[in-house]
Amino acid sequence: MTKMRYAEALNQALREEMLRDPTVFLFGEDIGRYGGVFKVTRGLMEEFGQSRVRDTPISEQALAAMAVTASMTGTRPVLEIMYADFMPLVLDALINQASIYEYLWKDVSMPFVLRTQGGGGAGAGAQHSKSLDSLVAHIPGIKVVAPVTPADAKGLLKSAIRDRQPVVFLEHKLLYNLRDDVPDGDDVLVEIGKARKVTEGRDVSIFATSRMVLESQKAAELLEKDGISAEVIDLRSLRPLDIETVTQSIAHTHNAVVVNEGWRFCGYAAELSATIMEQCFDDLDAPVARVTLPDMPVPYSEPLEMAVLPNAAKIADAVRSTLK
Amino acid sequence: MKNSPSIDERLEMHRRMIVVRTLEERLGELHKAGKTRGPIHRCDGQEAVGIGATAMLSDADFITSTHRGHAHYIGKGLKVEGVTAEILGRETGYCGGRAGHMLIGDPSKGMIGGNAIVGASIPAAAGMALSIQVRGGSEVAMCFFGDGAAQTGICHESMNMAGLWRLPMVFVLEHNQFGLTVHHSVQSPVENLSMRGAGYAIPSEIVDGNDVVAVYRAVSAAVERARRGEGPTIIEAKTYRIEGFSTSDMGGYQKEEDLIAWKERDPIRISQLSLLEAVGKAKLDEIEAAAVAEVDKSVEDALAAPLPTFSVFQQTSPYAKAV
């Protein structure tokens, strides 16, 4: 085990995979000499050269389309889209291109990774704070993962690069400085499609994504003081969803609260609630509760932004209402 | 002249153009008879571009196509029986009926692939060229796109990166004068769209898109340039879409005098006249009859072939349920 920051863990994953496989290459805005605005690619251009670590023009739409076809023709591109808010520009590549080819043509694979970061809390305003998980998780044929810990950041990114299918890799701007243990070794992978039980509990299951896992952990601590035992599950993989871990947890606690930083209407939390309702109806003691961003832009000023973001207090309240 | 096709190559291009033209005509008839599904985008009059621009490529080279791709498919070496069967939605089609006429792909032939989002073929080829460059390969990627697609933002983004990184690719701008029903003069302030190459340090050339030999010469020089690592080229092939946008187009927006003038310059006629002296009429008649028979047989076989049965493709759709 080595303690490192989330951003360093990602850097290490990229470096190790580039050393292991010469067809892995990185491209994106400011990722070369500058090392990326979140410093994830620091030092890699110096080590691997400008062919494999490319600074690009500000052309998200073409970059994403190029990642799709570069991956079909012998390379494993990792594209960085600076903010998830720019993801609408890449949706044609995901929806109309990447998601159809393997079904239509069968003998193709598309091993590309699209890394981006989202989420609020940094005062970045309405065009730099969104979580658009639902938009990408909606698309058949695309995998979507969202690691919270440095260990998962590294293990999931390595798995994503080695995957034969497109993976959208969602980071969070407030996680990059998080420091924690990361297992040593080049081949420590985290399997895509497996959730992680963060805390054991008996009364309620809280299913959370990305940074909301940390808020859910804090909520569990608050609830413990009221004598409520909450089980926190980090989904890690939004698609495919580890439905087995979800159903087992509900069979144990009989109550569910889902937490996602995206919008509420037609959002990831809505999908998760509906899936739970379909598969666990007989095990549930109460309707599934959702904690999400309200259906509105993320405001700038601190008290306004804090008012809309889901947090531990809101999650704890949702649990209390569920258990009433 | 350097980069000129041999007589054998010209005969093969001639044959392929007739295969495509016959296919288009049969598809028109099948559509009228209610035997096809959805819109079909015929490329009558544009055969010389797709056939001439692909004739010098190998299976290892990549091309990306548009929603009007039949000449590109045949040019890249796909068999007409697989193309016809795919268009008729049969199990025996290139994609087992899953793709239809706009989205045919055959990675083993470097045909990846048809694309029905206007403009999307352009970054697709740029991505392939990027992959070639990163791997240090010697293949070339080629995109076909029309004057309509030249107006999309993604065209500019792709050309910019291709010029910047000297990607091994060729832009084949199939200028057929129309974006659906709207004439190019209503879509762009410039007549020669290839002049935009100057803005991206990409050399360009305008060719007679109805002369298959002219297309071949210009494109093969561009292909060689790309293989030498000297970067991309834009070839603007001036041509004309003789039929409507698709089989459901009611027409009425193309000038009669333009149609007459362009039919005079039919690419197959130009090819015939240029080959007549070299090989004689009997040889041409033989090639033409064989090409027509091949297409007719492909239609007959496709109509007799089984329709596919549905199954969920779990590999990319783990949540899909059988209906």
Side-chain angles (χ1 to χ4, degrees):
Chain A
M1 289 285 183
T2 309
K3 272 219 184 317
M4 67 180 79
R5 294 185 310 114
Y6 185 94
E8 288 174 84
L10 292 169
N11 181 279
Q12 212 175 72
L14 293 170
R15 184 174 178 274
E16 287 171 10
E17 291 309 296
M18 290 182 83
L19 284 171
R20 194 184 63 82
D21 180 350
T23 70
V24 176
F25 76 97
L26 319 181
F27 65 142
E29 293 153 15
D30 306 280
I31 70 158
R33 206 166 299 283
Y34 192 64
V37 293
F38 298 98
K39 297 297 170 206
V40 170
T41 53
R42 182 148 51 186
L44 297 177
M45 194 188 82
E46 287 76 0
E47 184 172 355
F48 295 99
Q50 290 178 33
S51 177
R52 289 181 71 194
V53 184
R54 288 185 189 227
D55 277 320
T56 67
I58 302 168
S59 305
E60 284 87 358
Q61 203 189 346
L63 293 171
M66 289 164 73
V68 177
T69 49
S71 74
M72 288 162 59
T73 53
T75 52
R76 290 179 177 266
V78 181
L79 170 64
E80 177 172 318
I81 297 291
M82 200 183 284
Y83 282 81
D85 307 70
F86 314 152
M87 291 293 280
L89 293 164
V90 315
L91 286 180
D92 182 69
L94 297 178
I95 294 174
N96 283 317
Q97 315 296 333
S99 80
I100 65 170
Y101 294 144
E102 193 170 357
Y103 175 66
L104 298 186
W105 304 338
K106 283 202 170 155
D107 51 347
V108 295
S109 64
M110 278 165 284
F112 73 87
V113 180
L114 194 157
R115 287 181 44 238
T116 191
Q117 63 75 35
Q127 291 175 331
H128 288 71
S129 302
K130 284 189 285 295
S131 298
L132 295 176
D133 327 353
S134 313
L135 226 52
V136 282
H138 184 60
I139 310 167
I142 310 285
K143 293 177 177 172
V144 184
V145 298
V148 183
T149 66
D152 281 356
K154 182 175 175 185
L156 277 171
L157 184 52
K158 288 169 78 82
S159 293
I161 291 170
R162 297 184 195 188
D163 205 282
R164 57 182 303 285
Q165 279 180 268
V167 181
V168 174
F169 194 90
L170 299 171
E171 298 158 21
H172 194 293
K173 57 177 69 61
L174 295 190
L175 292 175
Y176 288 118
N177 284 320
L178 191 78
R179 244 173 93 85
D180 206 349
D181 284 335
V182 174
D184 297 319
D186 280 5
D187 281 315
V188 182
L189 304 180
V190 173
E191 190 183 340
I192 294 173
K194 291 273 180 272
R196 174 177 69 102
K197 193 180 282 184
V198 182
T199 60
E200 294 267 359
R202 138 196 105 239
D203 301 321
V204 62
S205 303
I206 304 174
F207 301 105
T209 60
S210 190
R211 190 178 74 81
M212 289 302 117
V213 173
L214 304 184
E215 293 297 322
S216 300
Q217 276 179 275
K218 284 187 212 156
E221 286 162 22
L222 293 174
L223 291 162
E224 211 178 328
K225 291 176 190 149
D226 302 349
I228 296 169
S229 162
E231 182 151 293
V232 176
I233 307 283
D234 171 7
L235 292 177
R236 292 201 290 205
S237 171
L238 276 58
R239 183 178 187 133
L241 171 67
D242 182 358
I243 190 66
E244 210 178 324
T245 297
V246 172
T247 53
Q248 279 170 3
S249 179
I250 291 170
H252 179 60
T253 66
H254 306 290
N255 288 290
V257 172
V258 300
V259 192
N260 174 257
E261 209 183 314
W263 286 313
R264 188 177 186 83
F265 194 82
C266 292
Y268 194 78
E271 170 59 35
L272 191 55
S273 313
T275 304
I276 291 171
M277 235 90 81
E278 280 170 357
Q279 304 214 12
C280 309
F281 188 76
D282 292 339
D283 277 330
L284 285 171
D285 286 345
V288 180
R290 278 183 283 169
V291 184
T292 66
L293 195 80
D295 290 325
M296 59 176 286
V298 180
Y300 164 70
S301 178
E302 189 164 13
L304 302 181
E305 183 173 22
M306 292 310 143
V308 301
L309 291 179
N311 59 25
K314 291 178 190 175
I315 298 165
D317 282 348
V319 167
R320 291 188 194 102
S321 309
T322 301
L323 297 180
K324 247 179 209 160
Chain B
M1 188 175 173
K2 192 173 180 293
N3 294 315
S4 287
S6 66
I7 288 291
D8 282 349
E9 285 167 330
R10 284 168 60 188
L11 285 173
E12 177 59 13
M13 291 195 291
H14 187 68
R15 188 188 75 78
R16 288 181 178 192
M17 287 200 291
I18 289 163
V19 165
V20 176
R21 174 66 58 87
T22 312
L23 175 64
E24 304 304 56
E25 288 170 356
R26 296 295 176 269
L27 289 171
E29 293 156 14
L30 288 162
H31 176 80
K32 282 208 179 76
K35 292 197 191 299
T36 59
R37 312 188 76 230
I40 292 178
H41 308 83
R42 297 170 56 175
C43 66
D44 309 52
Q46 301 177 216
E47 294 90 345
V49 186
I51 299 297
T54 48
M56 77 298 297
L57 301 178
S58 80
D59 287 353
D61 296 313
F62 306 117
I63 73 161
T64 67
S65 175
T66 67
H67 59 274
R68 194 179 307 287
H70 301 165
H72 314 144
Y73 299 151
I74 300 301
K76 198 66 175 64
L78 271 63
K79 299 271 176 262
V80 71
E81 55 261 36
V83 173
T84 308
E86 184 61 31
I87 297 172
L88 291 171
R90 305 295 153 148
E91 183 66 51
T92 49
Y94 263 107
C95 309
R98 296 183 300 277
H101 100 105
M102 291 185 273
L103 299 170
I104 293 179
D106 179 8
S108 71
K109 287 278 181 193
M111 170 69 243
I112 41 182
N115 209 314
I117 302 295
V118 172
S121 65
I122 309 169
M128 294 166 190
L130 176 60
S131 156
I132 295 165
Q133 189 176 69
V134 168
R135 287 187 277 110
S138 59
E139 314 96 284
V140 167
M142 180 182 292
C143 59
F144 288 94
F145 64 112
D147 40 304
Q151 317 313 340
T152 61
I154 207 164
C155 173
H156 299 269
E157 293 188 356
S158 308
M159 284 185 173
N160 183 50
M161 275 183 275
L164 178 70
W165 294 337
R166 292 169 159 272
L167 294 179
M169 67 182 293
V170 182
F171 294 87
V172 180
L173 204 177
E174 194 160 341
H175 197 320
N176 73 2
Q177 323 285 328
F178 288 93
L180 223 158
T181 68
V182 177
H183 191 255
H184 75 93
S185 59
V186 184
Q187 298 198 44
S188 169
V190 297
E191 193 180 340
N192 298 322
L193 295 164
S194 52
M195 72 185 288
R196 291 179 182 164
Y200 310 110
I202 303 178
S204 62
E205 187 179 339
I206 295 171
V207 295
D208 177 355
N210 282 25
D211 179 349
V212 75
V213 175
V215 172
Y216 180 101
R217 282 184 187 139
V219 174
S220 64
V223 166
E224 284 173 18
R225 194 171 166 267
R227 285 200 211 284
R228 288 196 301 267
E230 292 170 20
T233 309
I234 300 171
I235 304 297
E236 178 175 2
K238 302 279 197 187
T239 184
Y240 193 84
R241 199 190 70 207
I242 295 291
E243 290 292 321
F245 172 74
S246 77
T247 42
S248 50
D249 183 346
M250 304 304 283
Y253 53 87
Q254 286 169 285
K255 285 189 201 155
E256 202 51 42
E257 64 261 37
D258 287 351
L259 283 165
I260 291 165
W262 281 96
K263 279 179 184 169
E264 285 289 308
R265 304 204 61 260
D266 187 303
I268 293 174
R269 204 168 140 196
I270 293 174
S271 172
Q272 266 166 346
L273 290 173
S274 78
L275 282 165
L276 202 54
E277 206 178 317
V279 300
K281 187 169 183 303
K283 177 80 174 168
L284 286 181
D285 285 349
E286 182 196 322
I287 285 171
E288 290 170 15
V292 171
E294 188 186 343
V295 177
D296 285 340
K297 180 160 190 321
S298 80
V299 173
E300 201 180 300
D301 288 353
L303 289 172
L307 289 162
T309 48
F310 178 80
S311 66
V312 169
F313 190 58
Q314 291 289 347
Q315 205 158 356
T316 58
S317 303
Y319 305 121
K321 297 266 195 294
V323 280

